[in-house]
Amino acid sequence: MDSDGRRDRWDWDSPHCRAQLDEVFFRKNDYIQTGSPEHREFWAFFDRFQRFKTKKDMCGSVGARGRNGDRDEERKVKGKTAKVDLGLPVEYDARYRINVSVCTRDIEERVGKSEHRSRQRSSGPGDQEISDCRLALLHFLDFNQRQSFGKLAKLRREQKNLPIFQYQDKIVELVRRHPVVVVAGDTGCGKSTQVPQYLLSAGFDYIACTQPRRIACISLAKRVSFESLNQYGSKVGFQIRFETTRTIATKLLFLTEGLLLRQIQQDRTLAQYQVVIVDEVHERHLHCDFLLGVLRTLVAERPDLRLILMSATINIKLFSHYFSSAPVLQVPGRLFPIQVIYKPIPPEEQASRSEKLDPRPYLRILQGIDQRYPPEERGDLLLFLSGVAEISTIQEACQVYATHTQRWIVLPLHSTLSLAQQDKVFDISPPGVRKCIISTNIAETSVTIDGVRFVVDSGKVKEMSFDPKAKMQRLQEFWISRASSEQRKGRAGRTGPGVCYRLYAESDYDAFAPYPVPEIHRVALDSLILQMKSMGLGDPMSFVFIDPPPAASIQTAVTYLKEQGALDSHGELTSIGTLLSQLPVDVVIGKMLVLGSLFNLVEPVLTVAAALSVQSPFLRSSQNNPDCATARQPLHSNQGDPFTLLNTFNAWVEVKGERGGGSRKWCRRRGLEEQRLYEMVNLRRQFRDLLKSHSLLESEKNAASDGDRGQRRMRLTERKKLHQLKRDHEQQEGSKRKVLKLEEGHDGDMSSGSDTEETSRRKKDKDGPGQNMDIQEVKFKLRHNISELQEAVTVSQDMSSRHQALLKLLLCRGLYPQLAVPDEHNTNRKDSDQVFHTKNKQGVVIHPTSVFASDPEVLLVPDDGVSELGSDRRDSSKHQLLAFVTLLETNKPYLSNCVRVPALQALLLVANSMDSNADCARLVMDGWLEVELRQPEEASKLLSTALSLRGEWERLLLAQLGQSTEMRSAAQGVSRKTMEKLSDRLVRFLLYTEVSYSLRRLTAFQTQNLYIGPQPESELFQGKPPDLNSLFPGAEVKPHPIKGGLRVTSFFTYNCLADSKDLYSECLRTFWSCPNCDLYMPLTPLERMQHEASCRPAGEQQQTGEEPAEGKPGPSSVSSLSRVYHCDVCNKDLTLTSTEILKHKRQHK
Amino acid sequence: MEQTRQKTFTCQLCGLTSPYSYYGQKPPNTRAIVLLEECYVTKDPFSPDKEKFLVLGSTCSLCSMCVCVGSDCSLFYTKRFCMQCVNKHLDQFPHQIQTELAKKKERSKAAVS
Ligand SMILES: [Zn+2]
Ligand SMILES: [Zn+2]
């Protein structure tokens, strides 16, 4: 129909011509739009389609256009003679197989008209071109439909093939009929993904499904929403610490166990859920055991709540019994047969405790595999070892073998590796080469690697245990349990039949414990007990745990919480304890946050608290790399590790502000795992929000939100773009796995530190443009306002020494009682042999990653400041203590994350128990540190300053907390001025106290005979009845029932130390003149302190000019410090301040 | 607003089930595109673009059985036919389709044995 001439002018390859067709088919509102990925795909498809058609035409297929009508008639007639006529066109056309049509008549007409007008010179599309394009489009749409449907059908087939599939109805029925159901099935049976879907489709709404690991929450939510074809809907979501996809429409929520517990704290009956699924209960994590206990009570209260426990087929009876014999549904797993070979290590190759692991047994297995199995038969090896040191030993040996044979790629796997390195285990090895993955027990449950055919099980695991006596965590090596052993073995049979080599005897296996020790028996229970208290669960001792923890461990936690001030002496929550129970962090970190909110130190405290709550960003593997060490140097602070972390974070934020994505390289140079910094910035934000929600922090300044409209719009467009990038990333995520190179194993350790320009460029080329997008950077930009962050960071960057001192004090008070004292002989020891002591554990050392390990000198008492008084008394004003975050024993007990503080000042301000002798020159702190001052006057002066500082600090803290709990509308609980005054005084006390003293740890003998003990009053006061109340206004001063002496405040007991002299012996009185008033008289230290407590410099005086005339009752506005005093000599009732009482009594002498 | 009860499509031949969001010939946001039969349609979960649709199935034009669009269950040739009806009336289909089906049968037989 078209002239050949015109056809010649139409060029399908010309972008111009295609653009004209785009105008017809791919307009702005069309199903496929010009410029979209589908649009590009279409034209690529078009080319293929055209080629296919030409080929077909050449093969002689007859064009059927236009002639169908006649044939149709013919057919219909024929049909009638048969049974049923389907009315099908006889002439076959692939077009008839497509159930879609595209109507573009409106446009065609318009185009047609314009073409008509300018027929002569037009090169626009004719009917033929349009119909060609339409046909291609129809086939394209059909092709896409077929592809997607194919994927859907495959998905459904896979679901159907899961072992759990045939139990779908049974599960739903059980859940309908019973409040608690146990579903037990081994890895691969599909319970985690399918059970929630079965319940959803059975009509259950509001389902919570807990997971022990955050990563599982994300991946399960993704998988399930995908399987339920709801990938972009919001019915399936997850909620973890920093991220949630939950909306009001969410019907199935994957969340961590800890988070569900937090929700119970807010919503005691969990009214928001109809069904709660607790997955992986067999792993017996602390939170999970506790959660089960809480749910057990809840089930009784809420008969409508459905609870499903999902477990591997381990110890199922335990769970069923705990929930009054709940029905159990056992689903067979889907494992291929696995051959077990016991290869116990011969005695001569068994390493003794101090030695390195002997790699020979492991190498023999690699060799054996190479001999027995042809390299074409794929299948990787997974080797379980107990710890990082063991892994690197074996890795080294295997690498030598691998380099020699060229048949292995050796990859380590443990949690302290960078995430990029961890991720390598999922990459594919080239043909003829096997991966040899050497892992801790992380690959037992947390990480699942497909394609493993061989498992080597050392039978060992390193597990954390808690020593309540030393208040210390301990990482020890144990034999694994039979359950773990089976779990490890199972890793060989996920994708095909496998082999499991056990490096122990079958008799060993039989002697293993059946199950691993549940976490609740191994860890400190502080946070757990705190949470129980805040949930009003009563006495932790009587709570019905599935497997109760030892009573001693609960007791230790209660004592610790009392020491921390979170519980009062009756074991009830204090106001700070209430707040701490709501912070999802360690008690010590929570305390820091609360303390930081009081002073102007929120920003640095937020950073430090966040930094101490995540794994260290400093990669261990880079520590020995000299380039990294040099690059890290400027980040180090010899004030302590928290300061190094603070510097690092601040520097990183600065780099992010200047260079955005360039921060990745910056981190690599310094051997930093950037992921941890991202975690820190998220956590920091969460802490800030928490403090705000408890009114401990002023709400956002509104300056940042404004800005002119243009800027806002720009930010909005940027956000849109970022969201798109994030979506794109999620799309392609997991779709490509890299193929490993043979040399991959060697550079493992080195590459993380020194990434040269060259390698990063090569990487870019390989991935192609656009692929190099840093998803973390995108998420970071979406979540945080970099300029705000930079502002916050600047605050803590150029910290004055005053701020630094105050921050150290806050950290120390937060970390208290985690304090360590340097051994007195450290000066004479090598740098590497510096020894420290905590109250409960002697002879601990500083972890090699700590700044004090490389710079221990700053902890030594400088020689010039020391005056030797006999052999073991070293007086100095420069004694220091270490406050530390963790005490962990591996091969030695190590302190990590330490900060140094001036000893005496810190102790006076934070110690829970201070005991003195009569002249206060000898002080015993917390029953283990003895301080002796040479000048008693200085001692009592210091003490009284400390008492007053602590009193004021406590008052402000309570005001701040009280304000937050009572939700008063006052802008700030504590006025800025009062707060600044206090911080000023604290700083002065910390920095300018120049008193020489000795610091000593008490010996066991000394601690036994520390106190004089209770005395009869007559003896104590030598018959002279003292007016105790007058000595300490406001405080209830009474004899201490155990220690003896006088209990002045909750933390200070006067004159109770065994060598003490009597309270009122006149010889202790010395003449003293008060710097603030004209008082000059002989006073005991106690009287002097008491006077100082109530006598302030003129400026500070609270009741100025209100000195009531002697003997006369004061005016109606009597200050709180004065009270009625009955003088026996005058026989009169007088309203006097304590000082005045003293003065008055002196008159009668 | 989402309806509380989800509408579910089930293929009566292979049992494939899936929630669907639309039934008819003109799924939302398809502009110039029209379906040539009344279909059960859902959002394409495999397309990065959430506006894309996916046809799950429809009813057989002869026996009204609800079938999915999978090639084992149905065939579209100007109309939808379930595989049972196709086999019953195989002779009326063009030979291209007949050979194609014969080939497929062969292949599945080979796979089974
Ligand atoms: Zn079907
Ligand atoms: Zn039919």
Side-chain angles (χ1 to χ4, degrees):
Chain A
M1 272 188 285
D2 293 302
S3 76
D4 285 325
R6 222 190 59 73
R7 267 202 154 187
D8 287 344
R9 262 172 281 138
W10 181 262
D11 177 10
W12 280 114
D13 293 331
S14 137
H16 173 70
C17 289
R18 290 191 176 192
Q20 285 180 310
L21 285 170
D22 287 345
E23 271 307 302
V24 178
F25 292 103
F26 310 114
R27 288 163 300 160
K28 208 173 166 198
N29 288 320
D30 271 319
Y31 187 62
I32 295 172
Q33 290 155 24
T34 302
S36 67
E38 291 87 15
H39 175 251
R40 276 194 299 279
E41 278 168 36
F42 167 76
W43 283 113
F45 178 87
F46 181 86
D47 293 336
R48 271 181 284 145
F49 186 68
Q50 292 298 96
R51 277 199 299 277
F52 174 76
K53 246 177 35 181
T54 344
K55 218 164 102 190
K56 215 160 184 199
D57 283 346
M58 290 205 307
C59 292
S61 170
V62 188
R65 305 187 107 262
R67 270 176 293 170
N68 284 347
D70 315 336
R71 293 288 181 99
D72 270 354
E73 288 305 309
E74 223 174 285
R75 181 63 187 243
K76 264 176 197 156
V77 178
K78 236 198 229 164
K80 255 167 206 157
T81 59
K83 13 180 191 167
V84 190
D85 178 22
L86 304 185
L88 298 177
V90 182
E91 203 64 59
Y92 177 79
D93 191 330
R95 161 77 189 83
Y96 296 140
R97 304 192 61 170
I98 299 172
N99 66 345
V100 182
S101 93
V102 177
C103 307
T104 47
R105 193 155 304 144
D106 49 331
I107 311 296
E108 283 170 52
E109 274 166 8
R110 194 162 52 83
V111 174
K113 257 183 235 149
S114 66
E115 195 203 349
H116 193 76
R117 258 184 267 121
S118 53
R119 177 158 236 158
Q120 249 55 24
R121 47 175 197 82
S122 166
S123 59
D127 292 345
Q128 186 60 50
E129 284 78 28
I130 287 182
S131 90
D132 280 356
C133 186
R134 172 181 295 112
L135 189 66
L137 175 58
L138 289 177
H139 279 276
F140 177 67
L141 291 171
D142 188 55
F143 172 76
N144 281 346
Q145 287 288 316
R146 275 174 207 281
Q147 267 209 323
S148 285
F149 186 82
K151 283 183 196 163
L152 174 65
K154 180 171 171 249
L155 188 68
R156 290 290 182 255
R157 257 197 321 275
E158 282 168 359
Q159 284 181 315
K160 239 171 140 171
N161 287 335
L162 284 171
I164 201 161
F165 181 76
Q166 48 183 310
Y167 298 93
Q168 173 165 12
D169 297 336
K170 178 86 182 151
I171 289 169
V172 170
E173 189 205 312
L174 278 174
V175 173
R176 283 220 171 96
R177 287 194 6 226
H178 302 274
V180 185
V181 176
V182 180
V183 177
D186 283 320
T187 328
C189 80
K191 57 184 186 312
S192 302
T193 52
Q194 304 305 304
V195 171
Q197 290 187 70
Y198 297 165
L199 297 176
L200 268 184
S201 60
F204 287 98
D205 283 339
Y206 310 112
I207 303 171
C209 181
T210 70
Q211 294 294 323
R213 283 167 289 275
R214 276 179 245 163
I215 190 92
C217 295
I218 302 175
S219 59
L220 280 172
K222 222 183 234 167
R223 181 69 197 171
V224 170
S225 77
F226 173 71
E227 286 190 14
S228 52
L229 308 189
N230 189 29
Q231 198 172 5
Y232 297 98
S234 47
K235 281 190 199 154
V236 182
F238 68 85
Q239 191 169 6
I240 55 172
R241 196 143 80 155
F242 309 121
E243 240 181 314
T244 182
T245 56
R246 187 183 196 177
T247 66
I248 10 166
T250 304
K251 292 188 166 174
L252 169 60
L253 183 71
F254 290 94
L255 74 175
T256 53
E257 291 153 351
L259 210 63
L260 187 67
L261 278 168
R262 300 249 159 239
Q263 290 181 355
I264 298 177
Q265 257 178 307
Q266 314 290 323
D267 167 15
R268 227 189 52 75
T269 61
L270 280 182
Q272 55 186 315
Y273 301 117
Q274 192 183 350
V275 181
V276 172
I277 304 174
V278 185
D279 200 0
E280 317 283 9
V281 286
H282 63 276
E283 290 191 17
R284 306 294 309 278
H285 294 280
L286 178 66
H287 277 145
C288 185
D289 271 15
F290 178 42
L291 181 62
L292 290 181
V294 175
L295 290 172
R296 191 169 171 271
T297 15
L298 193 54
V299 168
E301 274 174 61
R302 265 194 63 189
D304 61 313
L305 182 75
R306 302 286 102 162
L307 177 62
I308 296 133
L309 312 183
M310 301 209 289
S311 143
T313 44
I314 293 174
N315 214 358
I316 309 160
K317 267 190 199 147
L318 176 75
F319 300 105
S320 172
H321 284 165
Y322 186 53
F323 285 95
S324 43
S325 302
V328 175
L329 184 98
Q330 202 160 340
V331 182
R334 192 175 54 181
L335 271 189
F336 292 91
I338 299 159
Q339 186 193 359
V340 177
I341 300 171
Y342 288 95
K343 281 185 179 272
I345 296 175
E348 67 273 17
E349 287 172 0
Q350 266 164 17
S352 68
R353 263 197 76 193
S354 53
E355 275 176 294
K356 273 188 168 183
L357 216 54
D358 192 326
R360 281 176 293 177
Y362 300 90
L363 289 172
R364 275 200 300 274
I365 290 172
L366 261 67
Q367 273 171 336
I369 291 171
D370 283 341
Q371 284 159 12
R372 217 157 302 145
Y373 304 93
E376 313 82 73
E377 272 181 34
R378 296 208 72 124
D380 300 320
L381 177 129
L382 177 58
L383 204 160
F384 286 100
L385 292 174
S386 62
V388 178
E390 289 76 8
I391 288 176
S392 60
T393 305
I394 301 301
Q395 184 193 352
E396 223 170 87
C398 288
Q399 189 53 57
V400 174
Y401 178 74
T403 313
H404 176 68
T405 58
Q406 299 280 304
R407 282 168 74 171
W408 295 90
I409 290 172
V410 185
L411 301 167
L413 175 63
H414 49 83
S415 59
T416 55
L417 283 177
S418 76
L419 297 175
Q421 277 179 298
Q422 286 185 31
D423 209 45
K424 269 191 192 163
V425 303
F426 299 108
D427 291 342
I428 305 156
S429 58
V433 178
R434 300 178 200 282
K435 281 187 285 184
C436 169
I437 299 157
I438 310 181
S439 170
T440 56
N441 63 339
I442 189 176
E444 201 176 294
T445 44
S446 321
V447 179
T448 300
I449 308 153
D450 280 326
V452 171
R453 182 175 171 192
F454 308 100
V455 162
V456 178
D457 177 11
S458 67
K460 299 283 177 60
V461 67
K462 272 197 186 137
E463 231 161 35
M464 204 69 96
S465 58
F466 180 66
D467 176 348
K469 225 174 101 199
K471 284 227 51 97
M472 175 177 71
Q473 289 183 301
R474 198 173 267 143
L475 192 66
Q476 279 175 298
E477 196 178 75
F478 298 100
W479 282 112
I480 56 173
S481 65
R482 289 202 292 274
S484 293
S485 172
E486 287 303 295
Q487 190 80 33
R488 290 180 177 188
K489 174 184 114 188
R491 295 280 149 171
R494 290 177 52 81
T495 29
V499 187
C500 175
Y501 303 91
R502 288 178 169 162
L503 298 184
Y504 42 88
E506 193 163 5
S507 55
D508 291 329
Y509 174 85
D510 293 332
F512 287 173
Y515 312 109
V517 181
E519 198 178 4
I520 201 165
H521 288 255
R522 295 191 277 115
V523 298
L525 301 178
D526 315 329
S527 301
L528 179 77
I529 300 297
L530 189 62
Q531 206 170 5
M532 291 183 76
K533 287 283 178 189
S534 83
M535 289 165 85
L537 293 175
D539 182 6
M541 292 283 192
S542 55
F543 187 80
V544 187
F545 284 102
I546 190 163
D547 192 350
S553 180
I554 295 180
Q555 199 44 59
T556 308
V558 170
T559 313
Y560 177 77
L561 290 171
K562 282 181 185 167
E563 280 171 4
Q564 293 280 10
L567 296 180
D568 64 19
S569 54
H570 309 290
E572 298 305 318
L573 275 185
T574 59
S575 50
I576 192 167
T578 311
L579 185 61
L580 291 177
S581 72
Q582 286 164 50
L583 297 172
V585 285
D586 265 7
V587 174
V588 288
I589 309 280
K591 257 170 65 194
M592 271 179 217
L593 286 171
V594 175
L595 294 167
S597 74
L598 186 62
F599 297 107
N600 240 345
L601 282 171
V602 186
E603 300 300 345
V605 167
L606 283 171
T607 306
V608 170
L612 295 179
S613 308
V614 304
Q615 254 186 45
S616 169
F618 292 100
L619 288 166
R620 282 300 293 279
S621 54
S622 313
Q623 211 178 15
N624 301 322
N625 180 325
D627 292 340
C628 278
T630 316
R632 277 181 192 180
Q633 201 50 48
L635 303 174
H636 281 272
S637 161
N638 72 13
Q639 299 299 324
D641 305 305
F643 286 86
T644 299
L645 289 166
L646 181 65
N647 291 343
T648 306
F649 182 82
N650 290 346
W652 178 71
V653 168
E654 212 176 285
V655 171
K656 279 210 100 57
E658 286 164 12
R659 282 180 263 168
S663 64
R664 190 148 50 155
K665 202 167 119 203
W666 184 88
C667 285
R668 216 153 28 208
R669 279 259 162 81
R670 283 152 188 80
L672 289 165
E673 174 59 57
E674 192 170 27
Q675 185 58 33
R676 308 276 170 257
L677 291 157
Y678 283 119
E679 284 167 18
M680 273 160 68
V681 75
N682 290 336
L683 199 54
R684 199 178 179 282
R685 160 86 167 269
Q686 193 197 16
F687 289 163
R688 173 186 288 283
D689 292 347
L690 274 165
L691 290 182
K692 247 188 267 168
S693 71
H694 289 91
S695 329
L696 287 177
L697 210 61
E698 283 172 89
S699 295
E700 215 72 357
K701 302 152 264 170
N702 18 0
S705 61
D706 287 330
D708 66 284
R709 196 178 295 173
Q711 270 179 334
R712 246 179 316 175
R713 198 178 313 129
M714 244 167 67
R715 182 147 171 81
L716 211 69
T717 352
E718 203 206 338
R719 286 186 76 82
K720 248 191 199 155
K721 215 175 88 198
L722 290 170
H723 273 296
Q724 185 56 48
L725 281 172
K726 192 175 160 210
R727 268 201 300 277
D728 289 353
H729 173 83
E730 279 158 9
Q731 259 316 295
Q732 36 173 271
E733 205 178 32
S735 56
K736 42 172 187 184
R737 285 260 68 123
K738 273 182 285 185
V739 175
L740 290 161
K741 290 201 214 73
L742 250 179
E743 66 270 21
E744 206 88 37
H746 317 240
D747 61 9
D749 276 7
M750 278 90 84
S751 70
S752 58
S754 58
D755 195 68
T756 58
E757 295 285 341
E758 200 194 344
T759 52
S760 66
R761 203 180 321 125
R762 205 174 57 213
K763 214 176 223 159
K764 220 175 265 175
D765 292 344
K766 195 173 62 189
D767 294 344
Q771 302 292 308
N772 204 38
M773 165 202 40
D774 181 353
I775 185 63
Q776 292 303 334
E777 163 79 8
V778 172
K779 285 190 186 170
F780 171 83
K781 278 190 180 160
L782 274 172
R783 237 177 256 158
H784 306 280
N785 182 337
I786 183 74
S787 55
E788 257 175 50
L789 251 179
Q790 273 179 306
E791 218 175 284
V793 156
T794 339
V795 175
S796 51
Q797 224 157 19
D798 308 303
M799 211 184 279
S800 63
S801 56
R802 300 167 56 81
H803 268 116
Q804 205 171 50
L806 196 56
L807 180 57
K808 273 160 72 170
L809 176 64
L810 294 193
L811 298 186
C812 176
R813 186 165 172 193
L815 293 172
Y816 176 85
Q818 292 163 197
L819 298 177
V821 62
D823 186 85
E824 52 252 71
H825 303 300
N826 272 356
T827 331
N828 311 323
R829 287 196 175 98
K830 278 193 302 185
D831 276 7
S832 51
D833 291 346
Q834 302 284 306
V835 179
F836 298 80
H837 312 280
T838 72
K839 186 181 178 185
N840 303 304
K841 180 80 186 170
Q842 293 183 20
V844 299
V845 295
I846 290 182
H847 197 267
T849 52
S850 170
V851 67
F852 295 122
S854 48
D855 196 4
E857 237 155 70
V858 293
L859 295 176
L860 297 178
V861 177
D863 265 334
D864 50 293
V866 180
S867 51
E868 298 276 347
L869 285 173
S871 58
D872 61 342
R873 177 156 176 184
R874 295 165 61 84
D875 278 28
S876 166
S877 59
K878 303 264 193 291
H879 291 289
Q880 294 182 91
L881 296 176
L882 284 181
F884 60 88
V885 179
T886 41
L887 169 55
L888 169 68
E889 186 176 87
T890 52
N891 53 347
K892 284 182 203 164
Y894 285 113
L895 298 174
S896 354
N897 279 326
C898 311
V899 59
R900 61 187 169 103
V901 289
L904 180 58
Q905 295 94 312
L907 286 170
L908 284 170
L909 291 175
V910 306
N912 263 349
S913 151
M914 303 194 316
D915 304 309
S916 80
N917 63 354
D919 64 1
C920 296
R922 179 168 173 248
L923 293 164
V924 172
M925 309 292 197
D926 290 323
W928 72 293
L929 285 175
E930 182 193 58
V931 172
E932 271 186 285
L933 295 98
R934 245 171 313 158
Q935 308 288 329
E937 304 83 59
E938 279 179 334
S940 56
K941 194 169 148 229
L942 265 183
L943 201 52
S944 78
T945 314
L947 291 189
S948 122
L949 282 171
R950 285 178 73 149
E952 177 71 354
W953 194 356
E954 218 49 38
R955 192 180 70 78
L956 295 190
L957 197 58
L958 285 177
Q960 174 94 337
L961 290 172
Q963 190 256 343
S964 68
T965 46
E966 286 159 37
M967 297 299 277
R968 247 178 273 145
S969 55
Q972 193 75 335
V974 177
S975 88
R976 184 162 290 257
K977 226 179 109 197
T978 332
M979 184 270 291
E980 266 163 16
K981 199 187 269 168
L982 173 63
S983 60
D984 223 53
R985 289 178 63 204
L986 284 171
V987 166
R988 245 183 296 145
F989 183 73
L990 287 165
L991 292 180
Y992 307 123
T993 300
E994 299 248 347
V995 181
S996 203
Y997 61 96
S998 71
L999 178 67
R1000 236 188 334 215
R1001 219 162 20 102
L1002 292 176
T1003 62
F1005 176 76
Q1006 283 171 312
T1007 33
Q1008 270 167 27
N1009 304 292
L1010 199 52
Y1011 303 114
I1012 40 176
Q1015 301 141 285
E1017 291 217 348
S1018 53
E1019 205 175 297
L1020 181 59
F1021 305 115
Q1022 293 182 331
K1024 201 194 272 174
D1027 183 4
L1028 286 174
N1029 282 330
S1030 75
L1031 292 173
F1032 287 94
E1036 248 185 88
V1037 177
K1038 34 181 194 195
H1040 196 287
I1042 299 158
K1043 296 177 180 176
L1046 289 175
R1047 187 179 173 279
V1048 176
T1049 70
S1050 60
F1051 55 86
F1052 175 47
T1053 309
Y1054 172 74
N1055 203 18
C1056 63
L1057 294 180
D1059 70 347
S1060 299
K1061 293 162 195 153
D1062 291 323
L1063 177 57
Y1064 275 87
S1065 50
E1066 289 288 328
C1067 66
L1068 276 175
R1069 289 186 200 278
T1070 45
F1071 271 95
W1072 181 72
S1073 58
C1074 174
N1076 299 326
C1077 64
D1078 54 358
L1079 181 82
Y1080 177 75
M1081 57 175 77
L1083 296 176
T1084 65
L1086 196 59
E1087 286 166 346
R1088 198 156 66 213
M1089 266 185 277
Q1090 173 278 323
H1091 174 83
E1092 282 179 316
S1094 57
C1095 180
R1096 292 285 169 81
E1100 278 181 40
Q1101 205 126 8
Q1102 287 167 4
Q1103 63 278 13
T1104 32
E1106 295 254 345
E1107 297 272 315
E1110 201 161 303
K1112 262 191 276 168
S1116 55
S1117 60
V1118 181
S1119 88
S1120 59
L1121 287 176
S1122 9
R1123 77 189 109 84
V1124 177
Y1125 166 72
H1126 181 82
C1127 178
D1128 292 329
V1129 184
C1130 323
N1131 201 15
K1132 268 196 281 187
D1133 279 330
L1134 305 167
T1135 306
L1136 297 175
T1137 67
S1138 330
T1139 320
E1140 290 153 6
I1141 297 170
L1142 266 181
K1143 278 189 197 164
H1144 183 89
K1145 284 202 278 188
R1146 292 270 151 209
Q1147 286 183 333
H1148 297 305
K1149 290 227 161 149
Chain B
M1 280 303 274
E2 287 273 341
Q3 268 173 292
T4 38
R5 296 278 347 160
Q6 203 153 42
K7 296 172 290 183
T8 305
F9 164 83
T10 305
C11 172
Q12 286 174 265
L13 278 183
C14 71
L16 177 134
T17 62
S18 178
Y20 69 95
S21 50
Y22 172 83
Y23 178 74
Q25 289 187 270
K26 194 81 192 72
N29 303 315
T30 47
R31 311 291 161 187
I33 291 168
V34 177
L35 299 176
L36 297 175
E37 54 174 341
E38 307 253 299
C39 291
Y40 296 92
V41 178
T42 182
K43 278 180 206 156
D44 184 351
F46 307 99
S47 157
D49 189 338
K50 54 181 147 195
E51 300 283 300
K52 297 287 174 270
F53 69 89
L54 174 62
V55 173
L56 296 167
S58 63
T59 48
C60 172
S61 60
L62 284 182
C63 70
S64 300
M65 181 150 59
C66 194
V67 281
C68 75
V69 298
S71 62
D72 290 334
C73 296
S74 76
L75 180 150
F76 187 86
Y77 193 68
T78 70
K79 282 174 264 184
R80 178 73 54 189
F81 299 99
C82 76
M83 244 23 212
Q84 288 175 353
C85 292
V86 172
N87 287 327
K88 232 181 275 172
H89 307 283
L90 199 58
D91 56 319
Q92 293 189 47
F93 285 87
H95 69 93
Q96 281 92 340
I97 288 180
Q98 292 182 25
T99 28
E100 197 184 297
L101 291 176
K103 261 190 210 156
K104 217 177 93 184
K105 219 178 212 169
E106 204 93 316
R107 245 182 293 136
S108 63
K109 252 188 208 155
V112 168
S113 59

